[in-house]
Amino acid sequence: LNIKTISSDVEINGVNVEESKVETTSGRTEMVNCCVSNTIIETTSGNIKLGGGALFDVNIKSVSGGVYAEQFVNNNMTVDTVSGSTIVCYDGGHPVNVGIKSTSGNVTVKLPESISGFTLNTNTTVGIVSSEFALSINNVYGDGSKKINVTTVSGAINIKKI
């Protein structure tokens, strides 16, 4: 599945494919109830919403738009944003590797209380880091098996319980 648009929204619902690539300029991207092994989404001036289904390897690049992902199963996610907030809610399963880089935008990662553990690596120039999980001095929770890396230039980093 390969979609490229200018000044148009993209709505993808219920597809089951090996790979998907969506490139938009000035348009919203919504991907719900899909099963995709490898997903690439690149946007300029448009929000991204992912929900439901299973997106196993996700790579998102966004300039001037927010990223919101919820209720999906995901193993690996990479998000790189400029001027937009990122909210990733793992209420459909547990991540393996999460990497989020943000220039001028807050980042929130919501994890189930039942997660076996994660190691949190953060770096922010201007912004606070908060976690609702009891982290060790080395930013490890539980068994530390999942990896969460978040970097912001100007934005808060929030790790929350679902």
Side-chain angles (χ1 to χ4, degrees):
L1 178 65
N2 193 352
I3 299 172
K4 190 171 187 176
T5 67
I6 297 175
S7 296
S8 180
D9 292 341
V10 175
E11 295 180 11
I12 303 168
N13 190 343
V15 300
N16 185 349
V17 294
E18 187 68 27
E19 294 184 0
S20 68
K21 183 172 185 178
V22 178
E23 297 175 84
T24 65
T25 301
S26 189
R28 178 181 54 85
T29 300
E30 186 172 312
M31 192 173 208
V32 295
N33 301 319
C34 297
C35 183
V36 183
S37 294
N38 186 10
T39 301
I40 297 170
I41 301 173
E42 298 176 357
T43 66
T44 301
S45 187
N47 292 327
I48 298 169
K49 180 180 179 185
L50 307 176
L55 304 173
F56 295 104
D57 290 308
V58 178
N59 187 327
I60 295 172
K61 293 182 181 176
S62 175
V63 176
S64 188
V67 176
Y68 183 73
E70 67 174 348
Q71 295 181 336
F72 69 104
V73 176
N74 171 257
N75 289 338
N76 301 300
M77 175 174 267
T78 303
V79 178
D80 191 346
T81 65
V82 176
S83 187
S85 294
T86 300
I87 300 173
V88 180
C89 185
Y90 283 99
D91 46 1
H94 299 195
V96 176
N97 291 301
V98 178
I100 301 173
K101 293 180 183 177
S102 175
T103 304
S104 186
N106 294 333
V107 174
T108 301
V109 179
K110 298 179 182 181
L111 301 167
E113 287 189 61
S114 62
I115 193 166
S116 60
F118 59 89
T119 300
L120 178 64
N121 295 308
T122 62
N123 187 2
T124 181
T125 305
V126 178
I128 62 166
V129 177
S130 67
S131 174
E132 293 180 353
F133 291 87
L135 300 175
S136 73
I137 195 159
N138 297 325
N139 284 341
V140 175
Y141 174 77
D143 66 12
S145 60
K146 293 12 174 199
K147 306 298 179 208
I148 301 173
N149 301 301
V150 182
T151 301
T152 66
V153 174
S154 176
I157 299 171
N158 303 294
I159 309 300
K160 297 188 174 200
K161 293 180 181 179
I162 298 173

